[in-house]
Amino acid sequence: MFATRPRPARISGLLVTAIAVSAGLATSVPASAVTGPEVTVGQVPALARLNIGDEANSRACTGVLVDQNWIATAASCFAATPGTPVPAGKPALKATATLGDGSTVEITEIAPRDDRDVALVRLATPVAAVTSVSLATAAPAAGAELTAAGFGRTKGEWVPDKAHTGTFTVGSGSATTLAVRGKGTDAICKGDTGGPLLNSAGELVGINSRSWQGGCLGAPAAETRTDAIGARTDDLAGWIRDTVRPGVQRDVNGDGRSDAVMTYYHGDSRIGFYSALAKPDGGFDEFTAGYTVPANSWDRNAMKLISGDFNGDRRTDMAMMYRFTDGTIKMYTGLADTTGHIQPFTSSYTVPANAGWDWNSIELKAGDANGDGRSDAVMTYYHGDSRIGFYSALAKPDGGFDEFTAGYTVPANSWDRNAMKLISGDFNGDRRTDMAMMYRFTDGTIKMYTGLADTTGHIQPFTSSYTVPANAGWDWNSIELKAGDANGDGRSDALMTYYHGDSRIGFYTALAKPDGGFDEFTAGYTVPANSWDRNAMKLISGDFNGDRRTDMAMMYRFTDGTIKMYTGLADTTGHIQPFTSSYTVPANAGWDWNSIELP
């Protein structure tokens, strides 16, 4: 049961329920507010007040920020009917969270546990100004003192303006619960459901679930027990990490592993979208068909494809910028279904023909530029006067796009388009997709640059980091660049494939630093000379075995027409290891190599 606004009729009903279940703690009402002192400035900065339901039938809970996009709270807060299970997905009732910085943000998704009263709820926009709580990794010992915090009732206030804390002693527990008792007269009351239980280090060990509410305003005068039950979180660090971490790139079926998605341009002008799902070892199953565009519908040369999770459902979709013959340009999205197959495309933002966009001046990439959990379209536009602009089209909840709006523009006569290799990724680990660039100067020097995304999803001015001196002799045409979190530290790194003059092929990694810059490129696996033909390789990056490190995969065509999928996994240092093969397309399948694109 939850704290409600102080309407006499509603309060009366709550008191009747509390009295009726007073025979045992197991059936007691959920806890709601701490009766101890007010929270001091900086004591629990991650605390959040949750409001659930409409004005006429609202309820209040407490939560704690565990990530700039996610709050940990009690799943029971979100039950459409108290006592019923809470399904994952969009909340049944409108819900908002008010954070320590004063901002109020809508709650858009619930990820509940099915073994205890805990849920993670996702915020519509990230909260960068508030520090998240740290997670404990060990259960508190019996007799240890914990601090509970919440926005619920106190001994004398129905709906206090400020949070309160109380001290509680750990008693017995189970694999999923903690039994605690208030010290002195400290108690947990209505409104604190979902609030944190913190150890002496300020780390989260549990979530307030239910209590006797002894001494709380509105509780029976005879009720003096301050015992409560919390849901343990000390063993949930892995689950929390996996839930709050952004969806895996190229993961079309949402299983946590990147997959291979192929666009095939058939000879009769049909265009098919096929998925090869990744297996636990990083290999691939066969390609199976999703949507096929009917013949004579789309022109391959009028398409720019990008992949990303455009509707925020943790499955990678396909998006396309398409140019019509009259000069009109339109954005389309083909969402992935639960089986990992791309479905028919729908249109969203349109650029009218009279806008005069030059098709050959557009380079398109994808990533979550504003950190809201949805991938956006990021366009680099090479203006005719030599300025270079970075523009973002933010994705909407249905996977469509808003208009492109401007971020940083490189002044005229500053950069040469032919001397740039661009990659996108979250290079500083703030959950927003940035832009990075390898740039070659006329004297042969090569330098890495990063343009970070701001909170609105726009790329900001670039800063330089690692420099390759001219005398290193790097051949610009031998470099292919990709991005991904190769060492699993939460920051995207730069992955370089270098085609040596003696036909060796090397895989090198430049790890990203906390400021988004890069360390030097260091070597992983090198393919021996005379082993692979560069023109017979199509490379993609992704976490193909689900270990949170970005690997490299390759489609390779042999001289007899056989096509085979290979995967080179990343080790713990972020370096690509030797490749192993998986799915094979026999030569008699007749696949046309030039008809294949792996976006």
Side-chain angles (χ1 to χ4, degrees):
M1 196 167 293
F2 313 88
T4 60
R5 300 190 184 280
R7 293 183 176 83
R10 179 67 173 162
I11 293 167
S12 175
L14 291 173
L15 293 180
V16 169
T17 304
I19 295 169
V21 299
S22 62
L25 181 61
T27 56
S28 63
V29 296
S32 307
V34 182
T35 61
E38 289 184 359
V39 170
T40 58
V41 175
Q43 185 179 4
V44 193
L47 205 63
R49 184 199 298 266
L50 309 186
N51 288 293
I52 302 157
D54 56 27
E55 181 66 22
N57 189 29
S58 64
R59 61 179 74 158
C61 279
T62 300
V64 62
L65 200 69
V66 294
D67 174 84
Q68 64 178 8
N69 290 287
W70 293 84
I71 286 173
T73 186
S76 56
C77 291
F78 291 86
T81 302
T84 60
V86 177
K90 184 178 180 180
L93 303 171
K94 180 181 179 180
T96 60
T98 300
L99 287 305
D101 63 353
S103 63
T104 297
V105 183
E106 183 182 0
I107 293 170
T108 60
E109 180 184 349
I110 308 169
R113 294 282 302 187
D114 58 9
D115 62 344
R116 67 195 77 181
D117 190 17
V118 172
L120 294 177
V121 296
R122 188 165 75 177
L123 302 174
T125 56
V127 180
V130 179
T131 302
S132 302
V133 72
S134 297
L135 305 177
T137 56
E145 290 189 350
L146 304 178
T147 297
F151 285 97
R153 299 179 189 176
T154 64
K155 295 180 184 297
E157 294 179 279
W158 286 110
V159 185
D161 292 331
K162 296 183 178 180
H164 288 70
T165 62
T167 301
F168 292 79
T169 303
V170 177
S172 61
S174 70
T176 58
T177 63
L178 285 172
V180 297
R181 174 173 293 175
K183 190 173 182 180
T185 60
D186 286 354
I188 292 175
C189 310
K190 294 185 187 299
D192 288 332
T193 304
L197 287 167
L198 307 170
N199 63 18
S200 59
E203 299 169 328
L204 182 68
V205 297
I207 293 293
N208 297 329
S209 180
R210 56 192 189 274
S211 83
W212 286 109
Q213 304 179 68
C216 299
L217 187 62
E223 182 56 75
T224 60
R225 288 169 291 186
T226 60
D227 301 84
I229 295 293
R232 282 179 55 183
T233 59
D234 60 275
D235 59 338
L236 298 183
W239 173 72
I240 292 173
R241 182 188 64 246
D242 289 346
T243 302
V244 306
R245 194 160 180 170
V248 177
Q249 64 181 134
R250 300 180 184 275
D251 181 10
V252 290
N253 65 342
D255 66 354
R257 297 190 296 269
S258 300
D259 309 298
V261 181
M262 175 177 68
T263 307
Y264 193 92
Y265 301 91
H266 291 277
D268 61 0
S269 83
R270 290 178 301 121
I271 301 172
F273 294 90
Y274 301 83
S275 301
L277 301 181
K279 298 184 287 187
D281 64 357
F284 297 93
D285 282 325
E286 65 177 328
F287 282 91
T288 54
Y291 176 56
T292 296
V293 183
N296 304 313
S297 298
W298 293 351
D299 175 6
R300 178 178 184 175
N301 296 316
M303 300 166 56
K304 294 182 189 288
L305 291 170
I306 51 175
S307 61
D309 179 12
F310 301 112
N311 65 344
D313 65 356
R314 301 303 179 97
R315 298 194 297 268
T316 295
D317 315 302
M318 195 71 70
M320 174 180 68
M321 178 183 278
Y322 191 86
R323 181 198 58 186
F324 291 87
T325 53
D326 68 353
T328 300
I329 292 174
K330 188 170 287 192
M331 295 297 296
Y332 288 85
T333 309
L335 299 178
D337 64 15
T338 56
T339 68
H341 293 93
I342 302 301
Q343 298 305 294
F345 285 65
T346 56
S347 65
S348 53
Y349 176 60
T350 299
V351 182
N354 61 13
W357 286 21
D358 178 6
W359 187 246
N360 296 320
S361 296
I362 297 170
E363 184 175 351
L364 212 58
K365 297 194 180 296
D368 184 5
N370 65 342
D372 66 355
R374 298 189 296 269
S375 298
D376 309 300
V378 181
M379 176 177 68
T380 306
Y381 192 91
Y382 300 91
H383 292 277
D385 61 0
S386 82
R387 290 178 301 121
I388 300 172
F390 294 90
Y391 301 83
S392 300
L394 300 181
K396 298 184 288 187
D398 64 357
F401 296 93
D402 282 325
E403 65 178 329
F404 282 91
T405 54
Y408 176 56
T409 296
V410 183
N413 304 314
S414 298
W415 294 351
D416 175 6
R417 178 179 183 175
N418 296 316
M420 299 166 57
K421 295 181 189 287
L422 291 170
I423 51 175
S424 60
D426 178 12
F427 301 112
N428 65 344
D430 66 356
R431 304 303 175 90
R432 298 193 297 268
T433 295
D434 316 302
M435 196 71 74
M437 174 180 68
M438 178 182 278
Y439 191 85
R440 181 198 58 186
F441 291 87
T442 53
D443 67 353
T445 300
I446 292 174
K447 189 170 287 191
M448 294 297 296
Y449 288 85
T450 308
L452 299 177
D454 64 15
T455 56
T456 68
H458 293 93
I459 302 301
Q460 299 304 294
F462 285 64
T463 56
S464 65
S465 53
Y466 175 60
T467 299
V468 182
N471 60 13
W474 286 22
D475 178 6
W476 187 246
N477 296 320
S478 296
I479 297 170
E480 184 176 351
L481 213 58
K482 297 193 181 298
D485 184 5
N487 65 343
D489 66 355
R491 297 190 296 269
S492 298
D493 309 301
L495 305 174
M496 178 176 68
T497 306
Y498 193 92
Y499 300 91
H500 292 277
D502 61 0
S503 83
R504 290 177 301 122
I505 300 172
F507 294 90
Y508 301 83
T509 304
L511 299 179
K513 298 184 288 187
D515 64 358
F518 297 93
D519 282 326
E520 64 178 329
F521 282 92
T522 53
Y525 176 57
T526 296
V527 183
N530 304 313
S531 298
W532 294 351
D533 175 6
R534 178 178 184 175
N535 296 316
M537 299 166 56
K538 295 182 189 287
L539 291 170
I540 53 175
S541 60
D543 178 12
F544 301 110
N545 65 344
D547 66 355
R548 301 294 179 164
R549 298 194 297 268
T550 295
D551 315 302
M552 196 72 74
M554 174 180 68
M555 178 182 279
Y556 192 85
R557 181 198 58 186
F558 291 87
T559 53
D560 67 353
T562 300
I563 292 174
K564 189 170 286 191
M565 295 297 296
Y566 288 85
T567 309
L569 299 178
D571 64 15
T572 56
T573 68
H575 293 93
I576 302 301
Q577 299 304 294
F579 285 64
T580 56
S581 65
S582 53
Y583 176 60
T584 299
V585 182
N588 60 13
W591 285 21
D592 178 5
W593 187 246
N594 295 320
S595 295
I596 297 171
E597 184 177 354
L598 300 178

